[in-house]
Amino acid sequence: MKTKSWLTGMAAVLLSVSLLAAGCSNNGNNKASSSNTPAETQPEAEAPLEITWANNWNAPEADNNYVQKFIEQKFNVKIKNVKFEIATWKEQLGVMLASGNIPDVLAVDGTVGDMVQWADQGVIASIPVEDIKTYMPKYVADVESIDPKAWDAGNYNGKNWGVPKVWSNGSTGFMPAYNGQWLKAIGYSEAPKDLAELEDVLTKFTNSDPDGNGKKDTYGMSGRGKDAQMQMFNPIFAAYGVNPFQFKLNAEGKVEYGAITEEARAGLALLSKWFKAGIIDPEFVTDDNGSIQNKFISLRTGMFDTGMWHHLYKDGYFGQVSADKGIELVPGSPLTGPDGKQYAFSNGALQPPIFFGVQLEKDDKKRQKILEILEYVATDKEGYLTSTFGKEGVTYNLEGDLAVAVEDPAETLAALGVGFYNPLGGKVEAMTKYHFSADKIAFRDKYTKIDGLTVLTDLMQSTVMTTKAQYETILSTLQTQYYIKAITGEADTDKAFDDFKAQWLKSGGQAELDEAQKIYEERSK
């Protein structure tokens, strides 16, 4: 295979160079060294450093695979693979921990809650921020370009508990999208720009037979009431400058929770009006993202609001099926709100960090080596392409910068070990060019980099809050129940909203606000 031959050839060249260098040493004296030279004076090759590497994604088919050996040879290490199942990794890890075995690298889907638990139990290592900045300088610069507060997610008890991780797409907002044929049928040449235009569009989508079948069987939109309430009607709430499930700063610089703000009350009142007018699908309460997609492509609804830019692109979750059905999908801009500004809701870029086993707190050499490996696979072209895409010419080809997968490759990604050793694949902004075509990046920038746009993210995103662990379940249930009732008209947005607010505060909400305020003030010092 070409790649293998190239690697073998390079090894031979390197060996020749090393032998030549040896022959030219000793001040030009090329006389062979005596066979009687004491053995202890001969330099010995350093033994490979053993690293236990755990991940619950992209498990390689076998040990000693291509990517594993590539990294081992590059860094003089020996990797022991710990392959967790995607769904049961916590149980499998628990068994390991009970037997006293803690992996050196824990590249798993742990939450900040898991981080707190593992830190308290002495499972994971606290890692000095300066170590990461020293041995992963390019990666740190990339992370901080996405969110300078990326270190917040790993901060607990005044210590840093891992390598920060971000997903840049998470910092872009959710976008409304529309059926282009329906827009034209009701007299619109472009997507609505504000709440008044949106109300007109939804009304005509519902009442003006936009599909031309002579039946009144359409609705303006539905909502994700079943599986992701925090995304439910997000462009409407965002137009008022709020996400009801996020912490935010008010005009006085104090932390508040979106659900109990006057902006949220106004958003609920408008949605209640629209529901009463029949322009919101009454099944929104039981709709999830799959049913929202299905209703859009089956011409029951003409708008949805649960997609991000990559979902709307022609190869995305909504873009691909819309094209297959012959529907012109028109992305919309965030709606201009009552204050004349544009806002978009975002989940935020921060993610829980990559964790290290507690033993690495006292093993400077191994900790440094792992950081160097992560820097290499995250920011070096060769390291990134190999660990993320495999063998060039076998599993992928470069078209410009874009890495294009080979159909029916001779070797599979799992056989090569692709993905397992790089938990930062797809999470490094500088490497986006290998994942997205120039056309796709232009599409992203067109709809997300809008002058004057404010992206709303949770002030406390990925932040350890002890009160959240204590009260979040009851508060989330309380909020969801009231919000559904307020939209459907079972509860009003006057006294009932006031009652909900009081109950939320009394049920632990005030404790959460107090802790969030304290954290915010400490960070602001």
Side-chain angles (χ1 to χ4, degrees):
M1 197 165 291
K2 290 183 178 179
T3 304
K4 187 174 181 181
S5 299
W6 179 83
L7 287 171
T8 304
M10 281 300 296
V13 171
L14 291 173
L15 180 60
S16 299
V17 171
S18 64
L19 290 173
L20 180 60
C24 294
S25 62
N26 207 17
N27 295 320
N29 181 5
N30 295 328
K31 184 177 180 179
S33 59
S34 171
S35 59
N36 295 324
T37 302
E40 59 267 19
T41 66
Q42 299 296 322
E44 294 184 5
E46 185 177 1
L49 195 63
E50 294 187 358
I51 298 174
T52 307
W53 198 287
N55 200 335
N56 65 313
W57 288 98
N58 304 307
E61 288 180 359
D63 295 337
N64 301 314
N65 55 73
Y66 173 74
V67 177
Q68 177 182 346
K69 289 191 288 186
F70 178 83
I71 294 172
E72 289 176 339
Q73 293 168 7
K74 179 80 177 178
F75 290 93
N76 191 31
V77 297
K78 180 59 183 175
I79 298 174
K80 178 181 179 181
N81 301 320
V82 178
K83 298 177 281 187
F84 292 136
E85 297 292 332
I86 294 174
T88 60
W89 69 266
K90 280 194 179 182
E91 292 82 355
Q92 291 175 290
L93 176 60
V95 173
M96 282 194 70
L97 298 181
S99 64
N101 295 319
I102 304 175
D104 295 317
V105 179
L106 267 171
V108 293
D109 290 336
T111 64
V112 290
D114 294 323
M115 181 184 77
V116 169
Q117 181 180 1
W118 294 336
D120 289 343
Q121 293 174 342
V123 171
I124 57 175
S126 60
I127 308 295
V129 171
E130 287 308 312
D131 271 18
I132 301 172
K133 289 184 175 181
T134 298
Y135 299 111
M136 300 184 69
K138 293 181 181 178
Y139 176 71
V140 167
D142 191 278
V143 166
E144 292 183 341
S145 74
I146 301 301
D147 194 332
K149 299 179 180 178
W151 300 96
D152 289 351
N155 188 293
Y156 173 61
N157 278 349
K159 295 181 179 180
N160 176 67
W161 296 92
V163 174
K165 189 170 58 177
V166 297
W167 181 51
S168 62
N169 277 343
S171 63
T172 62
F174 283 81
M175 300 162 49
Y178 307 85
N179 182 316
Q181 288 96 332
W182 284 22
L183 284 174
K184 292 172 185 174
I186 64 171
Y188 276 77
S189 60
E190 58 184 359
K193 293 184 172 59
D194 56 31
L195 289 171
E197 285 190 358
L198 177 59
E199 181 173 332
D200 184 56
V201 165
L202 296 180
T203 300
K204 290 174 179 175
F205 277 178
T206 304
N207 299 323
S208 299
D209 191 22
D211 59 353
N213 69 353
K215 301 176 182 179
K216 192 176 184 305
D217 56 359
T218 58
Y219 290 95
M221 67 182 301
S222 189
R224 198 167 172 178
K226 180 181 179 180
D227 65 335
Q229 290 85 10
M230 79 175 299
Q231 295 177 20
M232 189 170 61
F233 305 116
N234 67 73
I236 288 82
F237 286 111
Y240 288 95
V242 68
N243 181 282
F245 288 82
Q246 291 181 346
F247 288 92
K248 64 188 288 286
L249 285 182
N250 63 20
E252 289 73 42
K254 295 293 184 181
V255 178
E256 60 183 0
Y257 189 67
I260 59 175
T261 61
E262 290 305 304
E263 295 92 337
R265 187 201 299 262
L268 284 172
L270 182 62
L271 288 166
S272 181
K273 172 190 170 186
W274 289 358
F275 185 86
K276 185 176 180 180
I279 62 178
I280 295 176
D281 190 331
E283 295 179 358
F284 85 87
V285 177
T286 57
D287 277 346
D288 56 19
N289 212 31
S291 54
I292 285 174
Q293 181 203 61
N294 183 62
K295 286 183 176 183
F296 184 77
I297 63 174
S298 63
L299 305 183
R300 178 180 170 94
T301 58
M303 172 202 172
F304 61 87
D305 60 3
T306 59
M308 298 169 68
W309 72 268
H310 54 287
H311 300 133
L312 308 187
Y313 189 67
K314 59 188 178 183
D315 64 356
Y317 180 72
F318 290 103
Q320 182 69 61
V321 294
S322 296
D324 291 345
K325 292 289 185 177
I327 297 172
E328 178 191 358
L329 192 154
V330 175
S333 297
L335 302 166
T336 301
D339 66 357
K341 298 179 181 179
Q342 286 181 290
Y343 303 94
F345 156 62
S346 162
N347 285 321
L350 299 192
Q351 296 186 332
I354 300 170
F355 307 111
F356 294 173
V358 67
Q359 62 273 15
L360 266 67
E361 283 188 351
K362 299 179 180 179
D363 194 334
D364 295 345
K365 184 177 181 180
K366 184 179 290 190
R367 187 174 68 245
Q368 174 183 334
K369 183 70 71 173
I370 292 172
L371 293 174
E372 290 174 345
I373 292 172
L374 289 174
E375 171 81 344
Y376 177 70
V377 298
T379 65
D380 181 89
K381 178 180 179 180
E382 177 189 50
Y384 191 85
L385 290 174
T386 301
S387 61
T388 308
F389 298 103
K391 292 182 181 180
E392 186 172 6
V394 178
T395 55
Y396 77 94
N397 290 304
L398 284 179
E399 297 180 3
D401 285 327
L402 182 66
V404 179
V406 171
E407 292 186 12
D408 300 320
E411 298 179 83
T412 66
L413 298 181
L416 295 175
V418 170
F420 187 81
Y421 309 95
N422 188 357
L424 300 170
K427 301 181 186 299
V428 183
E429 184 64 18
M431 300 292 135
T432 298
K433 60 187 178 182
Y434 299 124
H435 294 269
F436 300 150
S437 66
D439 178 65
K440 194 168 187 176
I441 292 174
F443 181 91
R444 176 195 66 183
D445 293 348
K446 177 181 179 180
Y447 291 106
T448 63
K449 297 183 179 180
I450 301 171
D451 289 341
L453 173 65
T454 298
V455 178
L456 304 173
T457 56
D458 194 337
L459 188 68
M460 294 290 117
Q461 65 167 314
S462 295
T463 297
V464 176
M465 290 181 60
T466 56
T467 53
K468 265 199 168 188
Q470 187 174 358
Y471 299 115
E472 189 64 17
T473 300
I474 187 172
L475 291 178
S476 181
T477 300
L478 186 67
Q479 178 178 347
T480 300
Q481 289 176 346
Y482 170 70
Y483 268 56
I484 294 293
K485 289 180 180 179
I487 294 170
T488 59
E490 294 180 55
D492 64 46
T493 53
D494 296 317
K495 184 180 184 302
F497 184 90
D498 294 335
D499 293 342
F500 156 69
K501 179 177 179 178
Q503 185 65 30
W504 187 89
L505 290 168
K506 187 173 69 173
S507 300
Q510 187 61 60
E512 285 197 6
L513 282 173
D514 291 343
E515 184 180 10
Q517 183 69 40
K518 180 181 178 183
I519 292 172
Y520 172 72
E521 291 174 357
E522 288 174 348
R523 289 176 177 173
S524 302
K525 291 179 181 178

